[in-house]
Amino acid sequence: MISPQPAHKEQTSMGTIMSHKAFGMYAEDCLDAVCREVARLESILSRYIPESDVSRINQNAGRNFVEVNPETFNILARSLELSAICDGNFDITIAPLVNLWNIGKNSFTQPPIREMKQVLELVNYRDLILDASSKKVGLSRPRQAIDLGGIGKGYTGDCILEIFRDFGVTSAYSNLGGNVVTLGAKPDGTPWNIGIQHPRLVDSLIGSLAVIDRSIVTSGSYQRFSNDSLGNQFHHIIDPATGYPVESGLVSVTIVSDNAMTADVLSTALFVMGVNRGMELLMSFPKTEAILMDSEEKVFVSKGLKGHFQPNEGIEYTILE
Ligand code: AMP
Ligand code: MG
């Protein structure tokens, strides 16, 4: 008989507060292992840890290939595949632009256009070269750099699900700050109810999603941003085509999928692409659904979420067939 009380742990990692819950006999030990796994992944994937695989690739840009963990290699290989499928709207070589815009920092000023154009030249996922036989990785040009901020937490979510399963847990939930993964249903067999944050209203939801065995990942311009002295707001998702924070008309994109890494990439890519191009891209991913909100607070829900999405009071939405 599964205990009705879950084991619960919080940890701060990857720049966010994470919360893990699991039910079952070995739930406590399982969550200890989950926290260790998250810390391990941060140590290889963060570009703010100087010894990480990602930092070593960046430090050697335009100079040397570096040997990386096979796991890092596979994440990078999948990142490149998805970047191509997303037509370059998702691009992990975005790092020099993220640095230039200094998003999330206090003393924020818009970079000079000339400098921005020069830095934009450095962004191209095709310049990340992977050598499968040696598991070595290199960036073609000096000053290029990669940033896994748009995919790393998704991958981490998939690894957490593996650990839940390894410990025989059949009902669990993890919130990685905007990325939620669920294993199975709640112990009473009913679906998990996952709230979708309203991008404009504090402590308010667009609605909630009833899910079993799904990952729910949200990208939003409200999640990380800075204001300049004129009161302009700049958020953290950059359009690799223009070098500017994205203005696609969307303020929030939620992706629902059975793969958290793919959902993470798509949440970022659809945010860049906007409703029409984004929904077209989504069609090529089976069993993958979306909830979008635009700057006029119009909500669009893909048809596979019919019966799973419950809007908050006052929220009207259109089902996209
Ligand atoms: P997410 O919150 O998953 O949409 O990811 C946003 C994070 O990914 C940012 O904080 C950057 O670190 C990075 N990023 C920003 N723009 C892009 C982009 N167009 N493609 C890939 N990663 C991006
Ligand atoms: Mg993402």
Side-chain angles (χ1 to χ4, degrees), residues 5-233:
Q5 287 307 319
H8 181 209
K9 280 210 160 48
E10 286 201 350
Q11 79 182 125
T12 301
S13 185
M14 304 185 178
T16 191
I17 297 172
M18 303 187 177
S19 164
H20 316 292
K21 271 185 199 173
F23 293 84
M25 252 201 336
Y26 304 108
E28 285 286 347
D29 290 347
C30 173
L31 293 193
D32 286 338
V34 163
C35 290
R36 282 196 301 273
E37 176 72 345
V38 171
R40 182 187 74 80
L41 289 169
E42 184 181 32
S43 76
I44 59 174
L45 302 180
S46 168
R47 71 183 175 103
Y48 303 106
I49 296 176
E51 308 78 29
S52 73
D53 280 355
V54 165
S55 293
R56 289 187 308 110
I57 293 167
N58 292 346
Q59 287 150 13
N60 284 283
R63 293 191 289 126
N64 299 310
F65 274 59
V66 296
E67 196 170 335
V68 296
N69 186 320
E71 198 177 6
T72 309
F73 192 92
N74 291 340
I75 297 168
L76 296 177
R78 184 69 180 141
S79 296
L80 294 189
E81 252 171 50
L82 288 166
S83 296
I85 295 171
C86 297
D87 221 2
N89 290 292
F90 178 85
D91 190 324
I92 57 171
T93 64
I94 201 80
L97 277 174
V98 175
N99 293 342
L100 186 71
W101 281 93
N102 223 355
I103 304 290
K105 303 281 162 56
N106 291 332
S107 57
F108 179 79
T109 43
Q110 192 171 338
I113 289 185
R114 214 164 58 107
E115 196 180 343
M116 205 194 65
K117 295 284 172 214
Q118 283 167 358
V119 172
L120 182 58
E121 291 284 294
L122 298 170
V123 176
N124 190 339
Y125 67 91
R126 294 179 191 84
D127 289 336
L128 179 67
I129 314 294
L130 306 185
D131 180 32
S133 56
S134 63
K135 292 280 183 265
K136 284 190 173 177
V137 180
L139 282 160
S140 303
R141 291 178 282 147
R143 295 174 56 227
Q144 288 192 304
I146 56 172
D147 172 346
L148 300 182
I151 184 171
K153 279 191 278 171
Y155 177 74
T156 303
D158 289 325
C159 295
I160 291 174
L161 290 172
E162 277 299 303
I163 293 187
F164 287 151
R165 291 190 195 99
D166 288 349
F167 276 78
V169 166
T170 51
S171 175
Y173 156 103
S174 230
N175 186 340
L176 297 83
N179 288 33
V180 173
V181 295
T182 64
L183 180 76
K186 289 197 282 190
D188 65 3
T190 60
W192 300 96
N193 265 314
I194 309 300
I196 313 294
Q197 173 65 43
H198 194 296
R200 298 252 169 89
L201 305 174
V202 180
D203 288 337
S204 183
L205 302 177
I206 295 177
S208 61
L209 262 175
V211 292
I212 294 174
D213 267 328
R214 282 285 175 279
S215 296
I216 302 97
V217 178
T218 299
S219 290
S221 43
Y222 63 94
Q223 289 169 332
R224 198 161 354 129
F225 55 86
S226 297
N227 294 304
D228 69 7
S229 53
L230 302 172
N232 300 311
Q233 200 171 81

Side-chain angles (χ1 to χ4, degrees), residues 180-308:
V180 173
V181 295
T182 64
L183 180 76
K186 289 197 282 190
D188 65 3
T190 60
W192 300 96
N193 265 314
I194 309 300
I196 313 294
Q197 173 65 43
H198 194 296
R200 298 252 169 89
L201 305 174
V202 180
D203 288 337
S204 183
L205 302 177
I206 295 177
S208 61
L209 262 175
V211 292
I212 294 174
D213 267 328
R214 282 285 175 279
S215 296
I216 302 97
V217 178
T218 299
S219 290
S221 43
Y222 63 94
Q223 289 169 332
R224 198 161 354 129
F225 55 86
S226 297
N227 294 304
D228 69 7
S229 53
L230 302 172
N232 300 311
Q233 200 171 81
F234 299 94
H235 63 79
H236 67 137
I237 303 175
I238 312 277
D239 186 338
T242 65
Y244 283 86
V246 172
E247 287 183 50
S248 65
L250 289 174
V251 290
S252 170
V253 173
T254 298
I255 303 289
V256 186
S257 164
D258 58 5
N259 185 284
M261 172 153 76
T262 308
D264 199 359
V265 168
L266 288 177
S267 69
T268 310
L270 263 72
F271 194 94
V272 179
M273 296 170 84
V275 180
N276 294 336
R277 284 198 305 148
M279 289 309 291
E280 205 172 301
L281 172 69
L282 196 72
M283 308 264 263
S284 44
F285 290 84
K287 291 199 284 179
T288 307
E289 306 294 336
I291 300 173
L292 316 174
M293 183 185 259
D294 72 10
S295 52
E296 291 169 4
E297 301 192 11
K298 284 199 232 136
V299 175
F300 304 94
V301 177
S302 66
K303 65 173 186 289
L305 293 178
K306 257 188 214 168
H308 298 276

